[in-house]
Amino acid sequence: MLKDKIVLITGSSQGIGKAIALKFSSSGAKIALNDIESQEENLKRTKEEIEKAGGHAKYFFADVSKFEETEKMIQEVQKEFGGLDVLVNNAGIVQDRTLAKMTSEEWQRVIDINLTGVFNSTKAALPLIIQSRGKIINISSIVGLKGNFGQANYAAAKAGIIGFTKSLSKEVGRFGVTVNAVAPGFIETRLTENLSEEMKVAIKNFTSLGRFGKPEEVASLIAFLASKEADFITGEVITIDGGLAV
Ligand code: NAP
């Protein structure tokens, strides 16, 4: 369904981003991987996995919280692939602490990467996406809709992504571009593996399906949103949480 589409996924050396890259590649897309330089080993591994399965991938370093680096990456993607059809804004971090203990640096870093990062890559990629009448998919979180103890910075950034998604969808609909967000619940990645066993059990108890999600399950939803089948969906936030927020 995504044959020969050019797709850039930020923060795609591991976790959900990697699963998205593998999924898109298996549907015939050409993959631009991205992460920060310290993730080069993981990027190499992901690129090799894609190539071993018969796909095509290149990786590009950029810290998405820095506009100039991000803009340079988009220029490199254009040079390498000749355009861009789909941008998946996936890069994200957590720095959890109750607000009473949270430092300004912890607040700012999470906003800079998780929210300003989405602005930076989208702003830089928009001319290419308009040219291809393409698709933008942003990874928010259930925490952006419901809030979470100890995550005021993360929740604010993820809620910000929702406002950004809805606003941009209104601006670029006239060019045939769609902009959507997905809001995952708890997914099995490095981001959630450090939760205490007690917390993991409590989350599973509140989740209708009684388990965490898999990165591949989020990737399937994103591949659908990037496909022609989803051409009339825009400005939406689609929750994928096993029933946690019901
Ligand atoms: P992950 O395994 O930590 O992957 C995120 C990737 O983004 C990491 O490789 C990370 O590198 C990279 N990254 C961090 N800062 C970056 C920057 N400035 N520029 C470019 N790349 C950067 O996490 P994940 O669980 O797959 O999360 C992916 C996305 O899904 C995030 O936006 C997250 O908020 C969202 N999400 C996850 C869950 C969940 O339960 N896992 C739930 C809801 C939403 P470093 O490791 O070096 O920081």
Side-chain angles (χ1 to χ4, degrees), residues 141-143 146-148 151 183-187 192 195 199-213 239-246:
S141 166
I142 197 68
V143 169
K146 302 280 176 188
N148 198 20
Q151 289 199 310
F186 288 81
I187 310 297
T192 50
L195 291 170
M199 181 68 92
K200 285 182 185 168
V201 170
I203 291 164
K204 286 177 193 171
N205 284 341
F206 277 114
T207 303
S208 308
L209 294 176
R211 63 173 178 86
F212 279 23
T239 295
I240 173 162
D241 70 348
L244 177 66
V246 172

Short mmCIF file of all heavy atoms in Angstrom, two decimals, residues 141-143 146-148 151 183-187 192 195 199-213 239-246:
data_model
loop_
_atom_site.label_atom_id
_atom_site.label_comp_id
_atom_site.label_asym_id
_atom_site.label_seq_id
_atom_site.Cartn_x
_atom_site.Cartn_y
_atom_site.Cartn_z
N SER A 141 0.25 10.93 23.14
CA SER A 141 0.19 9.90 24.19
C SER A 141 -1.15 10.03 24.90
O SER A 141 -1.74 11.13 24.96
CB SER A 141 1.31 10.11 25.19
OG SER A 141 1.07 9.34 26.36
N ILE A 142 -1.59 8.95 25.47
CA ILE A 142 -2.79 8.96 26.29
C ILE A 142 -2.60 9.96 27.46
O ILE A 142 -3.54 10.58 27.94
CB ILE A 142 -3.08 7.52 26.79
CG1 ILE A 142 -4.50 7.39 27.28
CG2 ILE A 142 -2.11 7.03 27.81
CD1 ILE A 142 -5.50 7.50 26.18
N VAL A 143 -1.33 10.13 27.83
CA VAL A 143 -0.99 11.06 28.92
C VAL A 143 -1.31 12.51 28.52
O VAL A 143 -1.64 13.35 29.35
CB VAL A 143 0.49 10.86 29.33
CG1 VAL A 143 0.98 11.96 30.26
CG2 VAL A 143 0.68 9.49 29.98
N LYS A 146 -5.15 12.59 29.19
CA LYS A 146 -5.65 12.32 30.55
C LYS A 146 -4.77 12.86 31.66
O LYS A 146 -5.17 12.85 32.83
CB LYS A 146 -5.79 10.80 30.75
CG LYS A 146 -6.70 10.12 29.75
CD LYS A 146 -8.15 10.30 30.14
CE LYS A 146 -9.08 9.72 29.10
NZ LYS A 146 -10.48 10.04 29.37
N GLY A 147 -3.50 13.24 31.34
CA GLY A 147 -2.56 13.62 32.39
C GLY A 147 -2.03 12.38 33.09
O GLY A 147 -2.55 11.27 32.91
N ASN A 148 -0.95 12.54 33.85
CA ASN A 148 -0.41 11.41 34.62
C ASN A 148 0.44 11.94 35.76
O ASN A 148 1.18 12.93 35.60
CB ASN A 148 0.42 10.51 33.71
CG ASN A 148 0.64 9.13 34.30
OD1 ASN A 148 -0.10 8.70 35.19
ND2 ASN A 148 1.65 8.43 33.82
N GLN A 151 4.19 13.51 35.49
CA GLN A 151 4.53 13.74 34.08
C GLN A 151 3.96 15.07 33.56
O GLN A 151 3.52 15.15 32.41
CB GLN A 151 4.00 12.58 33.23
CG GLN A 151 4.78 11.28 33.44
CD GLN A 151 4.57 10.28 32.31
OE1 GLN A 151 3.44 10.01 31.93
NE2 GLN A 151 5.66 9.75 31.77
N ALA A 183 -2.41 8.43 19.94
CA ALA A 183 -2.17 8.55 21.38
C ALA A 183 -2.06 7.16 21.98
O ALA A 183 -3.06 6.57 22.42
CB ALA A 183 -3.32 9.34 22.02
N PRO A 184 -0.83 6.61 21.99
CA PRO A 184 -0.68 5.27 22.57
C PRO A 184 -0.82 5.30 24.09
O PRO A 184 -0.52 6.28 24.75
CB PRO A 184 0.76 4.88 22.19
CG PRO A 184 1.19 5.84 21.13
CD PRO A 184 0.42 7.10 21.40
N GLY A 185 -1.29 4.15 24.60
CA GLY A 185 -1.25 3.93 26.05
C GLY A 185 0.12 3.40 26.40
O GLY A 185 1.14 3.91 25.92
N PHE A 186 0.20 2.36 27.22
CA PHE A 186 1.51 1.84 27.64
C PHE A 186 1.97 0.76 26.65
O PHE A 186 1.30 -0.25 26.47
CB PHE A 186 1.44 1.33 29.08
CG PHE A 186 1.32 2.47 30.05
CD1 PHE A 186 0.10 3.10 30.30
CD2 PHE A 186 2.46 2.98 30.69
CE1 PHE A 186 0.00 4.18 31.17
CE2 PHE A 186 2.37 4.07 31.55
CZ PHE A 186 1.13 4.66 31.80
N ILE A 187 3.10 1.01 26.04
CA ILE A 187 3.64 0.14 24.99
C ILE A 187 4.99 -0.41 25.48
O ILE A 187 5.76 0.32 26.13
CB ILE A 187 3.84 0.94 23.67
CG1 ILE A 187 2.58 1.74 23.29
CG2 ILE A 187 4.31 0.03 22.54
CD1 ILE A 187 1.34 0.93 23.00
N THR A 192 9.09 2.37 28.90
CA THR A 192 8.21 1.85 29.96
C THR A 192 8.86 0.71 30.76
O THR A 192 8.32 0.29 31.77
CB THR A 192 6.88 1.32 29.35
OG1 THR A 192 7.19 0.44 28.29
CG2 THR A 192 6.02 2.45 28.84
N LEU A 195 9.48 1.13 34.62
CA LEU A 195 8.38 1.26 35.59
C LEU A 195 8.50 0.13 36.62
O LEU A 195 8.93 -0.98 36.28
CB LEU A 195 7.02 1.12 34.88
CG LEU A 195 6.61 2.25 33.94
CD1 LEU A 195 5.38 1.84 33.13
CD2 LEU A 195 6.33 3.51 34.72
N MET A 199 3.73 -0.91 39.53
CA MET A 199 3.08 0.01 38.59
C MET A 199 2.61 -0.74 37.34
O MET A 199 1.49 -0.52 36.85
CB MET A 199 4.07 1.12 38.21
CG MET A 199 3.54 2.16 37.27
SD MET A 199 2.28 3.17 38.02
CE MET A 199 3.25 4.51 38.65
N LYS A 200 3.46 -1.66 36.85
CA LYS A 200 3.09 -2.42 35.64
C LYS A 200 1.81 -3.23 35.88
O LYS A 200 0.92 -3.27 35.05
CB LYS A 200 4.23 -3.36 35.22
CG LYS A 200 5.40 -2.61 34.57
CD LYS A 200 6.48 -3.58 34.12
CE LYS A 200 7.68 -2.84 33.59
NZ LYS A 200 8.87 -3.66 33.40
N VAL A 201 1.74 -3.86 37.06
CA VAL A 201 0.56 -4.66 37.40
C VAL A 201 -0.67 -3.75 37.49
O VAL A 201 -1.74 -4.07 36.94
CB VAL A 201 0.79 -5.43 38.73
CG1 VAL A 201 -0.50 -6.07 39.22
CG2 VAL A 201 1.88 -6.49 38.55
N ALA A 202 -0.50 -2.57 38.12
CA ALA A 202 -1.64 -1.65 38.28
C ALA A 202 -2.14 -1.20 36.91
O ALA A 202 -3.35 -1.16 36.66
CB ALA A 202 -1.20 -0.45 39.11
N ILE A 203 -1.22 -0.87 35.99
CA ILE A 203 -1.61 -0.41 34.65
C ILE A 203 -2.36 -1.52 33.91
O ILE A 203 -3.41 -1.28 33.31
CB ILE A 203 -0.37 0.04 33.84
CG1 ILE A 203 0.21 1.33 34.45
CG2 ILE A 203 -0.72 0.27 32.37
CD1 ILE A 203 1.62 1.65 34.01
N LYS A 204 -1.84 -2.74 34.01
CA LYS A 204 -2.49 -3.86 33.31
C LYS A 204 -3.90 -4.09 33.87
O LYS A 204 -4.83 -4.40 33.13
CB LYS A 204 -1.64 -5.13 33.43
CG LYS A 204 -0.42 -5.07 32.53
CD LYS A 204 0.47 -6.28 32.69
CE LYS A 204 1.82 -6.03 32.03
NZ LYS A 204 2.80 -7.06 32.33
N ASN A 205 -4.04 -3.91 35.19
CA ASN A 205 -5.36 -4.09 35.81
C ASN A 205 -6.37 -3.07 35.30
O ASN A 205 -7.57 -3.34 35.25
CB ASN A 205 -5.24 -4.00 37.33
CG ASN A 205 -4.65 -5.27 37.92
OD1 ASN A 205 -4.64 -6.32 37.27
ND2 ASN A 205 -4.13 -5.17 39.13
N PHE A 206 -5.89 -1.86 34.95
CA PHE A 206 -6.79 -0.81 34.45
C PHE A 206 -7.02 -0.90 32.95
O PHE A 206 -7.81 -0.15 32.39
CB PHE A 206 -6.21 0.57 34.78
CG PHE A 206 -6.52 1.02 36.18
CD1 PHE A 206 -5.52 1.18 37.12
CD2 PHE A 206 -7.84 1.30 36.56
CE1 PHE A 206 -5.81 1.59 38.42
CE2 PHE A 206 -8.14 1.72 37.85
CZ PHE A 206 -7.13 1.86 38.78
N THR A 207 -6.29 -1.79 32.29
CA THR A 207 -6.38 -1.90 30.82
C THR A 207 -7.32 -3.05 30.46
O THR A 207 -7.11 -4.18 30.91
CB THR A 207 -4.96 -2.17 30.23
OG1 THR A 207 -4.09 -1.11 30.65
CG2 THR A 207 -4.98 -2.23 28.72
N SER A 208 -8.36 -2.75 29.66
CA SER A 208 -9.37 -3.78 29.34
C SER A 208 -8.72 -5.05 28.82
O SER A 208 -9.14 -6.15 29.16
CB SER A 208 -10.36 -3.26 28.30
OG SER A 208 -10.88 -2.04 28.72
N LEU A 209 -7.71 -4.90 27.98
CA LEU A 209 -7.08 -6.09 27.38
C LEU A 209 -6.03 -6.72 28.30
O LEU A 209 -5.43 -7.74 27.96
CB LEU A 209 -6.47 -5.74 26.02
CG LEU A 209 -7.51 -5.35 24.94
CD1 LEU A 209 -6.83 -4.93 23.65
CD2 LEU A 209 -8.48 -6.51 24.66
N GLY A 210 -5.79 -6.11 29.47
CA GLY A 210 -4.95 -6.73 30.51
C GLY A 210 -3.48 -6.86 30.17
O GLY A 210 -2.77 -7.70 30.73
N ARG A 211 -2.99 -6.03 29.25
CA ARG A 211 -1.57 -6.11 28.88
C ARG A 211 -1.09 -4.78 28.32
O ARG A 211 -1.90 -3.91 27.99
CB ARG A 211 -1.34 -7.21 27.84
CG ARG A 211 -2.06 -6.96 26.51
CD ARG A 211 -1.69 -7.98 25.45
NE ARG A 211 -2.39 -7.80 24.18
CZ ARG A 211 -2.03 -7.00 23.19
NH1 ARG A 211 -0.92 -6.26 23.30
NH2 ARG A 211 -2.73 -6.91 22.08
N PHE A 212 0.25 -4.64 28.17
CA PHE A 212 0.83 -3.50 27.46
C PHE A 212 0.70 -3.78 25.95
O PHE A 212 0.58 -4.93 25.54
CB PHE A 212 2.33 -3.36 27.79
CG PHE A 212 2.60 -2.66 29.11
CD1 PHE A 212 1.67 -2.62 30.12
CD2 PHE A 212 3.82 -2.03 29.32
CE1 PHE A 212 1.93 -1.99 31.33
CE2 PHE A 212 4.10 -1.39 30.52
CZ PHE A 212 3.15 -1.37 31.52
N GLY A 213 0.75 -2.70 25.15
CA GLY A 213 0.74 -2.87 23.70
C GLY A 213 2.13 -3.17 23.17
O GLY A 213 3.13 -3.01 23.88
N THR A 239 -6.64 7.01 19.68
CA THR A 239 -6.09 6.35 20.85
C THR A 239 -5.83 4.89 20.55
O THR A 239 -6.64 4.23 19.90
CB THR A 239 -7.11 6.49 22.00
OG1 THR A 239 -7.23 7.88 22.32
CG2 THR A 239 -6.69 5.74 23.24
N ILE A 240 -4.70 4.39 21.02
CA ILE A 240 -4.39 2.95 20.88
C ILE A 240 -3.81 2.50 22.22
O ILE A 240 -2.61 2.67 22.48
CB ILE A 240 -3.48 2.66 19.66
CG1 ILE A 240 -3.03 1.20 19.64
CG2 ILE A 240 -2.30 3.62 19.54
CD1 ILE A 240 -2.50 0.71 18.30
N ASP A 241 -4.71 2.04 23.11
CA ASP A 241 -4.29 1.81 24.50
C ASP A 241 -4.89 0.57 25.14
O ASP A 241 -4.86 0.43 26.37
CB ASP A 241 -4.63 3.05 25.35
CG ASP A 241 -6.13 3.22 25.54
OD1 ASP A 241 -6.92 2.52 24.85
OD2 ASP A 241 -6.53 4.03 26.39
N GLY A 242 -5.45 -0.32 24.35
CA GLY A 242 -6.00 -1.56 24.90
C GLY A 242 -7.18 -1.33 25.83
O GLY A 242 -7.54 -2.19 26.63
N GLY A 243 -7.78 -0.13 25.74
CA GLY A 243 -8.95 0.15 26.57
C GLY A 243 -8.63 0.83 27.89
O GLY A 243 -9.51 0.99 28.75
N LEU A 244 -7.41 1.30 28.05
CA LEU A 244 -7.00 1.94 29.32
C LEU A 244 -7.84 3.18 29.65
O LEU A 244 -8.22 3.40 30.79
CB LEU A 244 -5.51 2.31 29.24
CG LEU A 244 -4.91 3.04 30.44
CD1 LEU A 244 -4.89 2.13 31.67
CD2 LEU A 244 -3.49 3.50 30.13
N ALA A 245 -8.11 4.00 28.61
CA ALA A 245 -8.77 5.29 28.87
C ALA A 245 -10.28 5.24 28.73
O ALA A 245 -10.93 6.27 28.83
CB ALA A 245 -8.18 6.34 27.92
N VAL A 246 -10.84 4.05 28.53
CA VAL A 246 -12.30 3.96 28.32
C VAL A 246 -13.04 4.37 29.59
O VAL A 246 -12.63 3.95 30.68
CB VAL A 246 -12.70 2.52 27.91
CG1 VAL A 246 -14.22 2.37 27.89
CG2 VAL A 246 -12.10 2.18 26.55
#
